Amino acid sequence: MTEAPQRTTSGPIGEMEPGVLAVLSGVMTGLIGAVAYFLVPLVTSEYVNAGGRDSLEVTYYILESFFEQSLFYHVGVLVLVPLVITALTLSLARRGGHAGRSTDVAVVTTVIVGPFVTVWLGAAIAWGAIAVQSPAIALLGIIFALPIAVILSVCVAIVTAVSAVGGYVLVKRFRPRPPD
């Protein structure tokens, strides 16, 4: 007599537990945003080869780069990425037999929270780097940085939420229907 195989989270992605899939989807969305808005501006600028730049100057350049990006760039990062990641994650969860409301809520929530946390993490790292070089400027800068971080994180959360809900609706609408 053979025993039934055990389900593990180390198998294919479709067999992962829904909580693991949800966390991975949020982390992936946040990482893509971090690469698009923090890493790409630094790598494609003159700051890479210049060396020894001031933290305040680099932070200003990243913020300036954010506002100079085209609308299509922002749509790609803030709308398309969460929509696709939500739809893929929910499809994989359903394929693995996890088609419950709790799975849907977990995936959509983490896809929204990932980029929100990324904005605050980026702001905290920038503020910390500035504080190491110049504590007085960092204290003065908090007056300006905090409202900017609040506004950006709220905008990111709203746009990402609409996109993640769109991915959920897409999967819900086109799910396989049982035969009549």
Side-chain angles (χ1 to χ4, degrees), residues 158-169:
I158 290 170
V159 171
T160 307
V162 169
S163 181
V165 169
Y168 165 74
V169 169

Side-chain angles (χ1 to χ4, degrees), residues 36-37 40-41 44 60-69 74:
Y37 289 120
V40 169
T44 60
Y60 174 75
Y61 180 77
I62 289 173
L63 194 59
E64 181 182 40
S65 172
F66 174 82
F67 289 109
E68 288 178 348
Q69 294 298 337
H74 292 298

Side-chain angles (χ1 to χ4, degrees), residues 7 12-18 21-22 25 82-100 103-104 107-108 111 164 166-176:
R7 284 184 80 185
I13 282 188
E15 295 179 7
M16 283 188 178
E17 294 300 317
L21 278 174
S25 65
L83 181 114
V84 169
I85 287 180
T86 302
L88 280 175
T89 305
L90 289 176
S91 296
L92 287 172
R94 281 166 171 62
R95 188 169 290 170
H98 306 287
T103 301
D104 298 344
V107 169
V108 170
V111 167
Y168 165 74
V169 169
L170 187 70
V171 169
K172 194 81 165 161
R173 175 77 177 129
F174 293 108
R175 72 178 186 267

Side-chain angles (χ1 to χ4, degrees), residues 37-79:
Y37 289 120
F38 299 123
L39 193 59
V40 169
L42 291 177
V43 172
T44 60
S45 73
E46 68 272 7
Y47 291 105
V48 174
N49 297 323
R53 288 293 185 167
D54 179 90
S55 296
L56 181 62
E57 197 175 330
V58 172
T59 302
Y60 174 75
Y61 180 77
I62 289 173
L63 194 59
E64 181 182 40
S65 172
F66 174 82
F67 289 109
E68 288 178 348
Q69 294 298 337
S70 71
L71 183 61
F72 291 117
Y73 188 84
H74 292 298
V75 166
V77 175
L78 294 175
V79 176

Side-chain angles (χ1 to χ4, degrees), residues 34 38 114-127:
F38 299 123
F116 181 83
V117 168
T118 301
V119 170
W120 282 101
L121 190 60
I125 290 171
W127 186 80

Side-chain angles (χ1 to χ4, degrees), residues 143-154:
I143 297 168
F144 301 104
L146 193 58
I148 290 171
V150 167
I151 291 168
L152 286 178
S153 63
V154 167

